[in-house]
Amino acid sequence: MRKPNVLAIGLDPRFADYSAMPQLTAELVRAYIEAEINRLRDAGFEVDTCLLTPDATAESDVEAALRSKSFACVVIGAGLREPSEHLLLFEKVLNLAHRLAPDACIAFNSTPADTAEAVQRWIVSR
C-alpha cells in the first residue's frame, strides 16, 4: 500500500527570530525538525520538506514543492505563523496550498517538536 505524502513547510531555522525563545537556536530547531520528519517516516508517511528563506524565492519554492506530487497533508510550521513580520508569507503559503493541493489536509504545528502530532490529527497512518 502506498504511503501518504506529507509536505512540511516552514521557515528555515537560520532566519527565525529567537528573542522570545532564547533557549532555542537554529541548530536545535533543525534537530527538532529532522527528528519529527523521522518520526513521521517511522509512522508510515513519505515526507518532503520545504524550508523557506524569507525573500522573493519563498513563494516559488513552495509552488515547486506543491507541484512535485500529490500530498495528503500539508503541515505549516509555527515559525511562519507566529512573528507578524511573516504574516504575508504565511498567507501566500496557505493560499498556494489551498490552490495547488486542494485535497490535502492542512495542519499546523505549535513547536518544531510536535509536527508528527499535527499531521496525525488529520491522517491516520496506514
Side-chain angles (χ1 to χ4, degrees):
M1 184 171 276
R2 205 176 84 180
K3 296 179 180 183
N5 293 320
V6 173
L7 177 61
I9 303 173
L11 187 65
D12 185 313
R14 296 175 298 159
F15 299 98
D17 177 5
Y18 298 105
S19 59
M21 302 166 286
Q23 73 279 13
L24 295 179
T25 63
E27 294 77 19
L28 184 57
V29 171
R30 186 169 292 282
Y32 280 127
I33 291 169
E34 289 301 318
E36 288 300 291
I37 298 308
N38 288 331
R39 281 183 63 207
L40 283 167
R41 289 181 177 140
D42 290 345
F45 297 95
E46 290 290 332
V47 185
D48 291 358
T49 59
C50 182
L51 295 178
L52 303 176
T53 301
D55 62 15
T57 65
E59 194 171 354
S60 62
D61 291 345
V62 172
E63 186 170 348
L66 286 164
R67 289 185 185 279
S68 69
K69 62 179 78 165
S70 177
F71 292 98
C73 185
V74 175
V75 62
I76 301 172
L80 284 175
R81 294 189 322 277
E82 297 296 324
S84 60
E85 64 267 14
H86 296 304
L87 178 62
L88 181 59
L89 178 56
F90 169 64
E91 290 176 337
K92 288 178 179 181
V93 167
L94 189 56
N95 281 298
L96 280 167
H98 176 67
R99 184 168 49 89
L100 298 176
D103 296 328
C105 299
I106 304 293
F108 301 101
N109 68 9
S110 59
T111 74
D114 69 357
T115 301
E117 287 81 6
V119 170
Q120 290 171 328
R121 281 194 299 266
W122 295 101
I123 301 178
V124 177
S125 180
R126 301 185 203 287

